[in-house]
Amino acid sequence: MVQPTIVIIGAGIVGSSLADELTARGCTDVTVLDRGPLFATGGSTSHAPGLVFQTNPSKTMTEFARYTVEKFVGLDAFDQVGGLEVAATPDRWIDLHRKHGWAQSWGVRGTLLDPQECAALNPLLDVDRIEGGFHTPDDGLARAVRAVTVQAERAIERGARFVGGQEVVEIVERGGRVAGVRTASGEVVDADVVVSAAGFWGARLGDQVGLAVPLVPMAHQYAKTGQVAELRREGLSGDEARMPILRHQDHDLYYREHGDRLGIGYYGHRPMPVDMDTLLTDTADEAMPSMLPFTESDFDEAWTHSVTLLPTLGDTKVEEGFNGIFSFTPDGFSIMGEHRDLPGFWVAEAVWVTHSAGVAKAMAEWIVDGAPSTDVHECDLYRFEEAATSPDFILATSSQAFVEVYDIVHPHQYRSAPRDLRVSPFHHRQQELGAYFYEGGCWERPAWYADNEVLIDELSTAGVTFPDRDDWSGRFWSPISIAEARWTRDHVALYDMTPLTRFEVTGAGACAFLQHLTTNNVDKRVGSVTYTLMLDENGGVLSDLTVARLADDRFQVGANGPLDLDRMLRHAPDADVTIRDITGGTCCVGVWGPRARDLVAPLTADDISHEAFGYFRACETFLGSIPVTMLRVSYVGELGWEIYTSAEYGAALWDLLFDAGRPHRAIAAGRIAFNSLRMEKGYRAWGTDMTSEHLPDAAGVGFAVSRRKGDFIGKSALDVAPEPARALRSIVFDDPTAVVLGKEPVAVDGVVGGYVTSAAYSATIGRSIAYAWLPATIPAGATVTVAYLDRTYTAAVHAEPVVDPDMTLIRR
């Protein structure tokens, strides 16, 4: 195999890590260019305080951080002093229990401590000010410039070239793909692959090649105190640290030692986005353009809170400070991937030192092997909806991400702005019914409807239970959702499925294209619907799709979001196939429940009996005067259809169905009920329950892989895949009041052996159910223990599906 010629733009922590990872894999024709001097180039790396806390709500980001720690320890570029996060409020103390759960789920060592134990690790603390702390002994301080230097030297020994003082001013293209870069001196450096690892300069490089890189350079305050008496030690030198790095997130603060002084970082100030045009003008001749002057007034509250927590600071003062620039994104994740329209141009941006080596490893695997071993969908360049790549959206959401960086953020706490960007044609009707909206993919999605509160008393009388919830799990939730789920099982409900991403794939080559791209056989007769998967080159699940064949050369594909469109466009042939995202021009109502046929049948002249319109079938017809496409599928495991029409008919379709449903006591139902019902039936949610790190059999979707059809992407990897060590299983909680929300650790025989993915309360069985990745050999009936905040619950592994195992409900 011929190794590519690679240019990396940026010799900071990401660029040097990537050069090291690439050359270690045999790609030695690597050139790293930077506008600044080597190896303190003047970017974010050069001034980074170096704090590394591995624990993150994201499994991916935690894995990136863990690899970074392991690698930098081996390079003698990491001071493993540990980390300590303290709680000054009861809410934060409970939140530290949640973080402890994440640490257990993702395999990071950590311990919850009482105030005295915290003070034993950091004697500067006022124990009367804290409720407790979370100690992570393997965290610490990355010596960023040393990590850059050592990795660069290793890459150079293998053949790489590092050049400072060479600003890249142009990306060279030839024949529709990248061909190299041009520097400010006029030199052209040829390359098959160009990687932008330029930090907060990366968005401008993306602009050159028509690529939106949604990041905002943001200034962040960092100060150093004068000498602190308690930190003086014999033989102390430089930036040496001995105590754990400290986070005081209740007031947006963190601390690290610099010898006998203390460094203080602060996120509590106003967001300070940086205008790159102004920055490049004002700092063009400066050695450290990423360091802006300190704004003292923004630090006043930080100092007050610091002296309260660490009283000894009252004997000193801030002696120096700066506002350091680094990148924020709309969702807080890094940005990784290859430009779809300019093959060979890659980006690895908005990467903090904490995750740098892990990101570099994944990027190297992606470039060399075709897929990273760690799931990166949260960081993928193409994860954003079109509206989310607008300058206004990027600025507003990235600024909010800065404000919330240390906040306690609930998993169902959605952004407050921008909102109402994408609404279905039924939105005004949903508002009239008292809908409470979640937001996802810029869509407004009803979570529940206030008008359905009247059902609670009726169902309670009939024996349905509505357990109370604790404060945390009760946020952004309503018992109405239990009523809506049970009503769907007993009667019929309308669900707004408009936000479900859908594509139209047409052309003479459409069928062959989908056959190669997906795992199941979609080459069936017109009117068939097929559940299938897209896999990566390692056999991991990239997405699950519903493919309806509406004509010999026309398919409607139900997908999960922009990443699926990106995947399809990358693999589509140049001719004979057209792919269109039709989501915004269409809408969908899911009509499900035992009375669904009674509701729909009078509206159409077609026979929609089970015999004439069976499960996993499609039909183009009319409801009243409205042209519709009906799919006999059900993500909630009930009789019914997904009913699609063009957006201009949407309001009429909703009214038609809602009016026809009145004799059958039809209701509108929301996302929480929807999630509960799909979990009862054993249906997976891609991105939550399964990702590219999971093979189909282990994820419980092996039935969607046809071994009899021809070759497809990922098939060869499946053919040689070993038996998985873990499998996704359903668990049912013993306590009817138990509630979990996801990502909690699951212990088997007292040892953490997995983690929760999804969870919901089942109105059918009167218990909470969850999916969890567990040892593959664990039998049904086995008892497991789930840690939730400051308590634990027992649960039993359950055969799937939990409700209606014979699958009779959907085939009535």
Side-chain angles (χ1 to χ4, degrees):
M1 177 179 175
V2 177
Q3 296 295 340
T5 300
I6 300 173
V7 167
I8 299 171
I9 306 170
I13 195 75
V14 179
S16 64
S17 295
L18 179 56
D20 185 40
E21 295 288 339
L22 286 168
T23 56
R25 287 165 172 77
C27 294
T28 56
D29 194 349
V30 175
T31 300
V32 184
L33 305 174
D34 200 288
R35 67 195 297 274
L38 304 176
F39 285 102
T41 62
S44 300
T45 301
S46 305
H47 64 68
L51 283 77
V52 175
F53 280 86
Q54 297 173 79
T55 306
N56 190 288
S58 164
K59 180 175 179 287
T60 293
M61 301 308 282
T62 300
E63 289 183 359
F64 285 164
R66 186 168 57 225
Y67 181 79
T68 300
V69 168
E70 292 171 356
K71 184 174 186 181
F72 287 4
V73 166
L75 298 177
D76 191 28
F78 195 81
D79 297 325
Q80 209 153 26
V81 294
L84 177 64
E85 185 176 336
V86 295
T89 64
D91 282 350
R92 182 68 66 175
W93 180 228
I94 292 297
D95 190 56
L96 292 188
H97 284 76
R98 184 168 65 127
K99 290 182 178 176
H100 182 227
W102 296 337
Q104 291 178 295
S105 292
W106 314 145
V108 176
R109 291 199 302 157
T111 308
L112 292 166
L113 306 178
D114 64 30
Q116 287 70 33
E117 290 172 316
C118 292
L121 292 172
N122 188 325
L124 306 185
L125 286 166
D126 182 348
V127 295
D128 294 330
R129 298 288 180 177
I130 60 175
E131 304 275 335
F134 176 46
H135 178 227
T136 45
D138 298 325
D139 291 340
L141 294 163
R143 282 176 272 146
V145 175
R146 173 170 172 76
V148 169
T149 304
V150 174
Q151 290 181 103
E153 289 172 346
R154 298 202 317 181
I156 290 168
E157 288 177 0
R158 302 184 191 114
R161 184 169 69 110
F162 278 68
V163 185
Q166 287 285 356
E167 181 179 3
V168 172
V169 296
E170 182 185 355
I171 309 300
V172 179
E173 306 175 35
R174 190 177 303 119
R177 64 168 295 119
V178 85
V181 301
R182 188 185 307 277
T183 70
S185 65
E187 179 186 0
V188 174
V189 183
D190 294 331
D192 305 307
V193 172
V194 173
V195 184
S196 175
F200 53 81
W201 285 282
R204 295 178 69 88
L205 282 170
D207 288 342
Q208 288 189 20
V209 291
L211 181 67
V213 180
L215 63 81
V216 174
M218 202 81 69
H220 160 60
Q221 288 196 307
Y222 192 76
K224 290 182 182 179
T225 70
Q227 196 174 64
V228 178
E230 287 86 342
L231 297 181
R232 297 175 191 163
R233 301 184 185 92
E234 191 69 30
L236 197 65
S237 62
D239 277 358
E240 185 179 348
R242 298 184 184 180
M243 293 189 300
I245 49 178
L246 177 66
R247 288 202 292 187
H248 182 31
Q249 291 189 302
D250 284 305
H251 291 293
D252 301 300
L253 288 157
Y254 63 82
Y255 309 87
R256 60 151 294 178
E257 292 170 273
H258 292 278
D260 59 2
R261 302 196 297 164
L262 204 63
I264 306 173
Y266 185 45
Y267 288 104
H269 56 81
R270 60 191 168 87
M272 292 187 276
V274 175
D275 183 332
M276 288 301 297
D277 289 328
T278 301
L279 178 72
L280 291 172
T281 299
D282 294 346
T283 65
D285 299 323
E286 294 183 11
M288 197 68 69
S290 59
M291 294 175 65
L292 300 180
F294 192 60
T295 49
E296 294 183 12
S297 60
D298 290 308
F299 200 72
D300 290 343
E301 285 191 25
W303 184 249
T304 299
H305 293 308
S306 295
V307 173
T308 300
L309 181 70
L310 309 168
T312 190
L313 295 186
D315 297 327
T316 186
K317 62 180 181 179
V318 172
E319 291 194 346
E320 61 178 285
F322 63 93
N323 287 347
I325 305 173
F326 62 135
S327 301
F328 273 79
T329 61
D331 56 9
F333 290 102
S334 300
I335 301 173
M336 304 165 58
E338 184 182 18
H339 194 334
R340 183 172 62 236
D341 300 320
L342 183 63
F345 183 81
W346 294 74
V347 297
E349 305 291 14
V351 182
W352 294 6
V353 170
T354 299
H355 311 107
S356 55
V359 166
K361 174 176 177 287
M363 287 289 296
E365 292 171 335
W366 209 347
I367 293 168
V368 175
D369 303 324
S373 57
T374 298
D375 171 62
V376 295
H377 83 272
E378 292 170 314
C379 301
D380 195 292
L381 167 66
Y382 286 98
R383 69 188 182 269
F384 297 101
E385 301 287 344
E386 184 178 7
T389 63
S390 68
D392 285 353
F393 189 99
I394 294 168
L395 178 60
T397 54
S398 297
S399 297
Q400 188 62 27
F402 181 91
V403 170
E404 294 179 349
V405 70
Y406 275 2
D407 285 359
I408 300 172
V409 179
H410 193 279
H412 296 145
Q413 179 179 329
Y414 298 94
R415 65 171 61 96
S416 58
R419 290 295 295 264
D420 295 329
L421 285 174
R422 305 175 84 184
V423 298
S424 76
F426 333 129
H427 186 68
H428 64 294
R429 293 291 190 239
Q430 294 164 345
Q431 290 176 312
E432 292 170 357
L433 295 171
Y436 180 90
F437 291 97
Y438 285 173
E439 181 271 336
C442 299
W443 283 101
E444 297 298 319
R445 307 172 186 230
W448 69 83
Y449 293 86
D451 273 18
N452 293 330
E453 187 174 9
V454 297
L455 302 178
I456 293 177
D457 287 344
E458 179 177 342
L459 290 170
S460 296
T461 302
V464 177
T465 56
F466 293 82
D468 292 333
R469 286 198 168 199
D470 64 275
D471 174 68
W472 181 251
S473 64
R475 298 180 191 180
F476 311 104
W477 177 87
S478 171
I480 294 171
S481 62
I482 297 176
E484 292 175 351
R486 185 55 182 263
W487 202 263
T488 305
R489 287 271 182 254
D490 294 341
H491 299 84
V492 62
L494 276 59
Y495 289 83
D496 181 1
M497 301 302 293
T498 302
L500 173 68
T501 301
R502 48 200 166 272
F503 311 128
E504 183 183 72
V505 182
T506 57
C511 184
F513 163 65
L514 290 171
Q515 282 287 81
H516 177 66
L517 187 68
T518 73
T519 60
N520 215 342
N521 179 28
V522 301
D523 190 6
K524 301 175 183 176
R525 62 190 174 105
V526 172
S528 64
V529 180
T530 305
Y531 178 78
T532 186
L533 311 172
M534 285 195 293
L535 306 182
D536 68 10
E537 287 71 8
N538 297 327
V541 181
L542 282 178
S543 188
D544 61 341
L545 310 173
T546 302
V547 178
R549 190 168 199 173
L550 303 180
D552 285 340
D553 59 355
R554 178 165 58 93
F555 296 79
Q556 180 173 305
V557 179
N560 286 296
L563 289 178
D564 294 334
L565 180 62
D566 176 55
R567 181 76 169 176
M568 295 176 77
L569 291 173
R570 288 180 188 275
H571 287 275
D574 293 333
D576 298 329
V577 176
T578 300
I579 302 166
R580 290 197 309 130
D581 185 341
I582 61 172
T583 309
T586 56
C587 58
C588 179
V589 182
V591 182
W592 291 306
R595 299 185 185 178
R597 187 174 286 113
D598 298 332
L599 187 160
V600 177
L603 303 177
T604 179
D606 286 87
D607 183 355
I608 62 169
S609 66
H610 180 65
E611 293 73 23
F613 193 169
Y615 195 59
F616 269 85
R617 297 293 298 162
C619 174
E620 293 182 296
T621 183
F622 292 88
L623 295 184
S625 299
I626 302 170
V628 298
T629 300
M630 296 175 61
L631 271 57
R632 179 83 187 276
V633 295
S634 174
Y635 201 50
V636 303
E638 278 290 340
L639 168 66
W641 299 267
E642 291 177 357
I643 303 175
Y644 296 89
T645 192
S646 297
E648 72 265 29
Y649 297 111
L653 176 64
W654 180 272
D655 288 346
L656 178 69
L657 293 170
F658 206 83
D659 289 343
R662 293 185 194 281
H664 309 289
R665 303 191 70 191
I667 65 167
R671 300 292 300 182
I672 299 178
F674 180 82
N675 184 59
S676 167
L677 295 169
R678 69 98 181 169
M679 291 195 63
E680 291 181 350
K681 297 301 298 182
Y683 299 150
R684 277 49 172 158
W686 182 85
T688 302
D689 301 319
M690 58 186 181
T691 69
S692 64
E693 294 184 4
H694 306 118
L695 300 180
D697 284 345
V701 290
F703 64 88
V705 178
S706 173
R707 303 284 184 170
R708 295 191 300 273
K709 77 168 191 173
D711 192 26
F712 55 83
I713 297 172
K715 184 176 186 295
S716 58
L718 293 185
D719 290 341
V720 297
E723 288 295 318
R726 287 185 176 184
L728 188 67
R729 305 294 299 274
S730 283
I731 61 175
V732 176
F733 288 85
D734 298 326
D735 183 346
T737 67
V739 176
V740 300
L741 298 181
K743 303 184 179 181
E744 294 86 359
V746 183
V748 181
D749 296 328
V751 178
V752 173
Y755 58 91
V756 171
T757 58
S758 299
Y761 180 81
S762 167
T764 306
I765 66 172
R767 294 282 193 282
S768 282
I769 57 179
Y771 290 137
W773 281 97
L774 296 171
T777 56
I778 193 168
T783 297
V784 297
T785 303
V786 183
Y788 168 74
L789 302 181
D790 58 350
R791 67 206 75 172
T792 58
Y793 297 117
T794 58
V797 178
H798 202 288
E800 291 191 85
V802 174
V803 171
D804 188 31
D806 296 328
M807 309 296 281
T808 58
L809 299 181
I810 58 176
R811 293 185 169 91
R812 290 192 258 209

